[in-house]
Amino acid sequence: MTLPLSADQAAVEQGKRTAESGLAAPLKRQLETAELVARVEITAVQRLIDHALSEPGMTAVTGYVYSGVAQQVWKGASAAHLAFRVHLADCQKKLTRGQQYLIFARTNARGYLELLSCEAAIAHPERGNLLAELNRYY
């Protein structure tokens, strides 16, 4: 049974639908599937190593683990420091330490935040109206 929304709740829901309808389709999909949407400044980059595939003298890097400071969180648990993974199978582009990115992350089966594509990390999110759109939606 669904309870009727108050006038304030209905206005908020209508505002979200209106803002969402103005968002580009790829951004809408990212927002729908992401558990965390945040602007993050990368403070550290570490290699994600598969020890089973590594051999003496050769390290098998399967991705990167990024640590960063959350500048702003639109969706998900707000935390000052974040860590997330990007596997090379999902994106071969390496994020840059000191750079800010708008990330769309999900939690994997082991409980780690991860990005599932290169499109899940947008460099220079302050350019254009992307942040303004997120501020209107959230």
Side-chain angles (χ1 to χ4, degrees):
M1 178 172 132
T2 305
L3 297 174
L5 297 176
S6 72
D8 289 340
Q9 290 170 326
V12 168
E13 289 302 314
Q14 178 60 36
K16 283 184 179 181
R17 283 191 298 275
T18 301
E20 187 178 39
S21 67
L23 296 175
L27 182 58
K28 273 196 229 182
R29 282 192 296 279
Q30 292 279 18
L31 282 171
E32 290 169 358
T33 60
E35 294 175 33
L36 175 78
V37 177
R39 185 168 43 107
V40 177
E41 181 176 339
I42 305 298
T43 56
V45 180
Q46 297 177 331
R47 294 179 294 171
L48 189 57
I49 298 171
D50 186 333
H51 295 287
L53 295 176
S54 296
E55 296 185 13
M58 186 174 77
T59 303
V61 176
T62 60
Y64 295 96
V65 177
Y66 298 95
S67 299
V69 176
Q71 304 294 321
Q72 185 171 2
V73 177
W74 285 273
K75 182 178 179 183
S78 184
H81 298 281
L82 298 170
F84 59 93
R85 297 168 176 232
V86 180
H87 294 275
L88 291 174
D90 297 323
C91 179
Q92 295 187 9
K93 180 175 65 173
K94 188 175 178 183
L95 304 183
T96 306
R97 188 172 158 250
Q99 179 71 44
Q100 287 189 16
Y101 294 88
L102 176 63
I103 64 167
F104 300 87
R106 289 197 275 181
T107 305
N108 67 15
R110 293 186 175 174
Y112 298 118
L113 281 175
E114 64 183 5
L115 308 186
L116 299 179
S117 70
C118 289
E119 291 77 29
I122 300 172
H124 308 291
E126 67 280 356
R127 293 183 185 163
N129 61 355
L130 181 58
L131 296 182
E133 289 182 43
L134 284 172
N135 286 333
R136 267 186 276 138
Y137 184 71
Y138 287 98

